[in-house]
Amino acid sequence: MITSIKLMDVASYSPTSPVTINTDNKKVNLFYGLNGSGKSTLGNFLQSSADPIYQKCEVLPANEDHEILVYNQKFVQQNFYEIPQQKGIFTLSEVNKEAEEAIENADQAIRKIIEFQNQIQIKVDGKKKEITNETTALKDTVWKAKSKHDRTELEFCLDKFKTKDKFLQKIEGSSSPCDSTFKELKKEAKELNEQNGTPRESIQTISFIGNYVEKEQIFVARIVGSKDSYLAELVEKLGNSDWVQFGMQFIKDNGPCPFCQQELQTDFSTSISQLFDTTYQSKQEEILNLKNVYESSISSLELNLNSGAFVAEYIADNSELSTAKALLLTCLKDNLNLISDKYNKPSEIITLLDTTEHIEHLNNIILKVQSEVVAFNDKIKNKKIHLTNITQKFWSLLNSEYAALIQATTEKIINLNQDVENLNVDYKNKNAEKREQENIIIENSKKITNIDLSIKNINEQLKELGLQGFQLDKVTDDSQHYKIIRQGKAEEDVYNSLSEGEKTLISFLYFLESCTGATDQESTVILKRRIIVIDDPISSLSHNYVYDIATLIHHKVLLADFKQVFILTHNLFFFHELLMLNAPSNRPTPYKLHRVTKSDYSLVKDLQRNEIQNDYQTYWQIIKDCMENHNYINMLPNAMRNILEHYFTFIHKKEALKKALEELGKSSSEFKPLFRYINRESHSDSININDFEGIDVDKYIEKFKQVFEKTGYDEHYYQMMGLDKPVAPIEVA
């Protein structure tokens, strides 16, 4: 059973907003709508759902085993205009108990097979749902990684992968090994993008020209005064040569001793001078020179380390280099202090620190930094290539992060797909069993079927409807086709000589017979698989046949054991007849009612029985709707025409209407097309197609009201429009 139908982007249905028709699992679905509202599109779709024009339409459930038979203009065209005679419709005639039992048993077996297949399909759907759930869960989990890297330095890696499907596919296809981390990739990307293409300055290794000073032997030698002075032995014994030398600057001629303030001997100054002779002084000057050289070398080194590339951010932020630089400078300054001490105390022995290892260590770091600079400059030069490499590494890292989950999900889906495949094999195997049972039905149907009963049924029905002068007959005695003949005439193309009403009746009777039969002896007829669709079977019939057609549908279609029935009509009387025959108010509702309307696009809405108006009321409702919503403007002239024709025919005032229309047409020339359109009686006349685009709704309704005023029936106009009639002003004499 069809549970829902979706119509979109076809005929008068919206190209973007689908119209969904829910049947609520009702066997009978009745559709009412004015001509042009979009009813026939529904029937055409059910008849030819595989046509590419219906690619955006859908019937659910899609895999249901059913046969759809549709009565519409296409059916009439194919069966009566395009072939010289109708195909024989095979129905049960002879009583053959064994054959009937075989058919019934085969039908029961087919039903069980179909039920078994339905259970298989339920399992398949369940497995497919599991596959969908597994896939969705994987996509959702992996998608969370995207938020981690949105609005970060690595956001550019996400370009072109902004849907869950593409995101997962990219991760699954990025299995290359990667030894980087997200943190490293962010840093690299930041450096590339922040520098804006500016290369870094190279950094050179350093050298310390004062390094040789540290190896001078003078620092490990004791420098003392000359032994020629009589004071030499005493000074050496006391071990205070440096103290004495320091005190010499305070000795004044004929002055007291600067240390003990006693009177000095006259030759004391001479003896002191002899003690610290030129050799001593030259040694001291040598120490001073070495000190100056060392100090100057340190200054040069410091200047070098605090200028150029060494002050750049990428160098200054290198903690390893900063530490090594600080250790070297500290060592150099310690040595400088030791040299100063040696100069002040030449007799003391000092050992200077060897800075060679510190310099080598610093230079090794500088070489390492320089290699990074070279690498960085290469990246700047080839930025696009390196950003591509970062992107590849980014996806490889994501692949590593989710590889286990992807693998586990893939294995689950493989197993579920295998289950689906196995179930489908079981389903197909049952198809073979079903074909065997269908062959049993076909073979046994041959024993008890022919077209004679169909001919008899249709001819009797034609008589009951009061149609005489033509009937159906076999083409030849042994033929499985029949044709329409006129009594006493050898006319070949009888069908085209019939009136439109006669054509409609005979084609519809043929269709009704087709519903319970088959058009060839090899077909399998199982009514419970058939869905019957009837589109406006009274479109060209007079009201005299409405009841008869409704009764035929009631007995031959609605009471038959069909799977489901869809009936579409524009005639409200016919719609009422179907309801009265098939759904008395004291019984549960066996049907679903639908209303088809059209403004910009066709719409289908549920319809309650108490909402149904008769045709005449419906046309007045269109007038009122147009006053509120100009989208219905294309329906306005036709509604006016039907109202005036119905009302003035009913009150036998057609001549008064004609006269009023002619007079109004003369006084209002711009409305002549409308009045001429309204004054035509035949609604089936093809020349009645008119273009009323751009009309002024308010003015047209005003002219419509004037017709009633002109004929003296304005009271009826105000009553049907739900308006109060204006009270004429009282003239004061």
Side-chain angles (χ1 to χ4, degrees), residues 320-562:
E320 187 180 15
L321 190 144
S322 297
T323 300
K325 183 174 73 171
L327 287 173
L328 173 60
L329 292 175
T330 299
C331 184
L332 291 172
K333 290 179 180 179
D334 287 345
N335 280 345
L336 183 61
N337 290 333
L338 288 174
I339 295 173
S340 295
D341 291 343
K342 179 66 175 178
Y343 175 76
N344 293 325
K345 298 178 181 180
S347 64
E348 291 187 359
I349 297 174
I350 63 170
T351 302
L352 297 179
L353 300 172
D354 188 354
T355 58
T356 303
E357 291 185 2
H358 288 290
I359 293 171
E360 289 179 354
H361 178 60
L362 180 58
N363 279 334
N364 287 335
I365 297 173
I366 289 172
L367 290 173
K368 180 181 176 182
V369 172
Q370 175 60 20
S371 67
E372 294 174 356
V373 169
V374 171
F376 178 82
N377 289 342
D378 177 65
K379 291 177 183 178
I380 291 295
K381 183 179 178 181
N382 302 287
K383 180 178 178 180
K384 187 174 181 180
I385 294 174
H386 287 285
L387 287 176
T388 300
N389 291 336
I390 291 174
T391 301
Q392 291 174 345
K393 291 178 181 179
F394 171 82
W395 289 105
S396 294
L397 286 174
L398 285 180
N399 178 276
S400 300
E401 183 176 347
Y402 291 102
L405 177 61
I406 292 173
Q407 178 64 27
T409 303
T410 301
E411 290 176 358
K412 286 182 183 178
I413 292 175
I414 289 173
N415 293 333
L416 288 169
N417 278 323
Q418 185 61 52
D419 293 341
V420 170
E421 186 176 342
N422 294 338
L423 288 168
N424 284 334
V425 170
D426 294 340
Y427 190 98
K428 291 178 181 178
N429 290 338
K430 286 296 178 181
N431 279 338
E433 295 180 24
K434 187 165 66 174
R435 281 193 294 272
E436 291 178 7
Q437 298 301 322
E438 289 173 345
N439 289 334
I440 292 174
I441 293 175
I442 291 171
E443 292 303 318
N444 283 277
S445 295
K446 291 178 182 179
K447 301 175 183 178
I448 58 175
T449 62
N450 56 52
I451 69 169
D452 294 329
L453 183 60
S454 298
I455 294 174
K456 179 176 178 290
N457 289 340
I458 294 176
N459 285 335
E460 287 180 353
Q461 205 67 60
L462 289 171
K463 290 179 181 179
E464 289 179 13
L465 292 172
L467 295 174
Q468 299 179 357
F470 63 91
Q471 63 183 31
L472 298 184
D473 198 5
K474 279 187 178 182
V475 175
T476 59
D477 290 340
D478 60 348
S479 172
Q480 299 304 325
H481 293 80
Y482 51 86
K483 62 181 179 179
I484 304 170
I485 62 170
R486 286 193 183 275
Q487 295 174 352
K489 292 185 179 181
E491 189 175 344
E492 293 184 2
D493 190 12
V494 177
Y495 181 80
N496 287 325
S497 71
L498 301 177
S499 69
E500 289 300 317
E502 290 172 333
K503 289 178 181 179
T504 298
L505 285 171
I506 199 166
S507 65
F508 187 63
L509 293 175
Y510 176 81
F511 174 77
L512 291 180
E513 204 65 29
S514 301
C515 291
T516 55
T519 53
D520 65 73
Q521 289 181 316
E522 302 301 316
S523 298
T524 302
V525 178
I526 301 177
L527 299 188
K528 289 187 177 180
R529 293 191 206 168
R530 287 187 167 179
I531 294 176
I532 308 302
V533 182
I534 300 175
D535 182 8
D536 247 344
I538 59 165
S539 59
S540 58
L541 296 179
S542 69
H543 288 291
N544 297 333
Y545 292 109
V546 169
Y547 177 78
D548 295 317
I549 296 298
T551 303
L552 280 171
I553 291 174
H554 171 66
H555 289 289
K556 289 184 171 290
V557 178
L558 300 181
L559 294 183
D561 197 17
F562 293 118

Side-chain angles (χ1 to χ4, degrees), residues 29 94 123 139 208 217-218 385 400 495 514 711:
N29 285 263
E94 300 176 6
K123 293 179 181 179
K139 290 178 184 177
F208 182 58
Q217 294 300 311
I218 192 171
I385 294 174
S400 300
Y495 181 80
S514 301
T711 54

